[in-house]
Amino acid sequence: MNISFCCTNTPPEPWLVGLRAALPGAQVLVWQPGDAPADVAVVWMPPQAFWDAQPRLRAIFNIGAGVDALMAQRLPRGARIVRLDDAGMAVQMAEYVCHAVIAYFREWAAIDHDIRAGIWRAREPEARADWPVGVMGLGVLGERVARALQTFEFPVNGWSLSPKAIEGVRGFVGAEALPDFLAQTRVLVNLLPLTPATENILNRDTLSRLRPGAFVINVARGRHLVDEDLLALLASGHVAGATLDVCRTEPLPSDHPFWRHPQIRLTPHTSARTLVVDTIAQITRKIAAVERGEAVVGEVNAQRGY
Ligand code: NAP
Ligand code: GLV
């Protein structure tokens, strides 16, 4: 089996070493123009020229959870597309989101501000019941985040396309339930895939439906959020703060107002990183399943786009 590795955001060496060790019968190469077509591709945002040179791929392994960039390309027909299913990302996402929610709930920024000003002032504890967290997307990552938030006893609601049964999480299903879900949310966590149905979903209309003084945590994709609408709602006070791990253009352009906005905390797309060892172990198992013609968890449905 020939495996072609074409990932634009990561040094290839650890991947080559790991894949060759895990799949000793395979030839694993970093793709170069002119290479013979491969049987299996391991990719992150490859150039279109890569796909145009792959007429006989059996499977495409995306080394991330989100496949929005892949879905925007012209892919070879007939190849099964498999995304990462957790592979060590869910626990990272849970710690990132819990950290952000707790920082808002415990007023860390205001305490820091007091301390820098030499003020020793304890704040009155707030009632957790006034801090319902709404998780958009109850998939692999959203479910883990919802469960982690429950351990801190926040009320947790979730929104998804199909009904879920996650103990203690009140589920809201489909577009018609979105206004209700938003109206009950004090902290909104976005963990949706980016698809035509979810692009720009965090906009003036939806964010205005959140409880006054809401917080927004976007850890999915920058194109879910209409930047100007968030800025307007921050200015009006309806949204009190936002934690953004993702931006429409990455890196964020140097003149973008998010960089220095006092109510926005930015991180450089680091909430859940791809882990080489875990990912190679998962891909190795799935290559074997694909070769046996079996179903694999994380297979992308190209029609729905995730
Ligand atoms: P997943 O398992 O596919 O879960 C997606 C969830 O979104 C599912 O619950 C799905 O509903 C729901 N959904 C999809 N379209 C919807 C719609 N139109 N309306 C309502 N719900 C909808 O994906 P995942 O592994 O949890 O990853 C989620 C996203 O996180 C990725 O796509 C990626 O963009 C982002 N991500 C970001 C980072 C980072 O570092 N910032 C890292 C990893 C992933 P059903 O369950 O009913 O299908
Ligand atoms: C990262 O953003 C991913 O989709 O894995």
Side-chain angles (χ1 to χ4, degrees):
M1 175 195 302
N2 293 330
I3 300 179
S4 192
F5 179 87
C6 191
C7 298
T8 45
N9 69 337
T10 179
E13 292 77 21
W15 292 92
L16 290 188
V17 170
L19 285 166
R20 285 172 182 157
L23 296 157
Q27 186 186 52
V28 187
L29 294 174
V30 177
W31 180 72
Q32 306 285 347
D35 278 0
D39 306 301
V40 168
V42 176
V43 298
W44 182 257
M45 294 187 176
Q48 182 60 45
F50 172 75
W51 300 120
D52 295 344
Q54 302 299 340
R56 63 161 213 227
L57 281 179
R58 296 202 284 275
I60 297 167
F61 289 91
N62 186 57
I63 64 162
V67 289
D68 42 288
L70 210 55
M71 292 294 105
Q73 296 189 296
R74 221 169 35 252
L75 302 179
R77 285 172 184 277
R80 292 169 69 178
I81 305 167
V82 186
R83 68 184 189 86
L84 280 192
D85 159 42
D86 186 349
M89 285 193 288
V91 66
Q92 298 177 65
M93 198 54 99
E95 76 195 357
Y96 181 102
V97 171
C98 288
H99 173 94
V101 172
I102 291 167
Y104 289 134
F105 177 63
R106 299 295 296 262
E107 301 187 81
W108 280 114
I111 292 172
D112 274 350
H113 186 269
D114 283 354
I115 294 295
R116 303 279 165 255
I119 300 167
W120 187 266
R121 172 170 57 193
R123 284 159 191 276
E124 287 307 308
E126 294 216 27
R128 257 163 243 271
D130 293 337
W131 282 73
V133 184
V135 181
M136 299 178 94
L138 287 174
V140 176
L141 303 181
E143 176 171 350
R144 180 63 173 264
V145 164
R147 288 187 191 282
L149 287 163
Q150 281 186 301
T151 65
F152 296 102
E153 300 179 14
F154 291 105
V156 182
N157 300 320
W159 185 63
S160 55
L161 217 44
S162 58
K164 307 286 170 196
I166 307 171
E167 205 185 331
V169 176
R170 179 165 174 216
F172 292 77
V173 179
E176 59 288 356
L178 184 58
D180 241 11
F181 165 80
L182 294 168
Q184 300 188 35
T185 298
R186 176 80 182 272
V187 185
L188 185 69
V189 178
N190 177 33
L191 270 166
L192 291 167
L194 181 66
T195 67
T198 65
E199 184 162 10
N200 298 326
I201 195 164
L202 305 179
N203 57 44
R204 189 184 290 263
D205 173 54
T206 52
L207 298 180
S208 300
R209 293 174 187 271
L210 298 171
R211 287 191 177 192
F215 294 91
V216 176
I217 300 172
N218 187 17
V219 277
R221 286 292 183 263
R223 278 165 53 203
H224 284 127
L225 173 69
V226 181
D227 296 358
E228 314 79 70
D229 291 359
L230 174 66
L231 290 168
L233 285 157
L234 284 166
S236 77
H238 186 75
V239 173
T243 295
L244 308 176
D245 184 48
V246 285
C247 300
R248 295 186 88 85
T249 305
E250 295 179 5
L252 186 67
S254 59
D255 58 349
H256 197 288
F258 284 176
W259 279 104
R260 275 165 281 278
H261 196 293
Q263 288 146 283
I264 293 179
R265 172 179 269 191
L266 271 183
T267 53
H269 203 140
T270 54
S271 53
R273 306 293 304 276
T274 294
L275 303 178
V276 178
V277 171
D278 304 55
T279 300
I280 288 175
Q282 184 169 112
I283 289 178
T284 304
R285 281 196 307 276
K286 290 185 177 177
I287 286 178
V290 165
E291 292 298 286
R292 292 192 298 268
E294 295 170 2
V296 291
V297 178
E299 189 154 351
V300 173
N301 176 332
Q303 296 297 318
R304 62 180 196 180
Y306 70 98

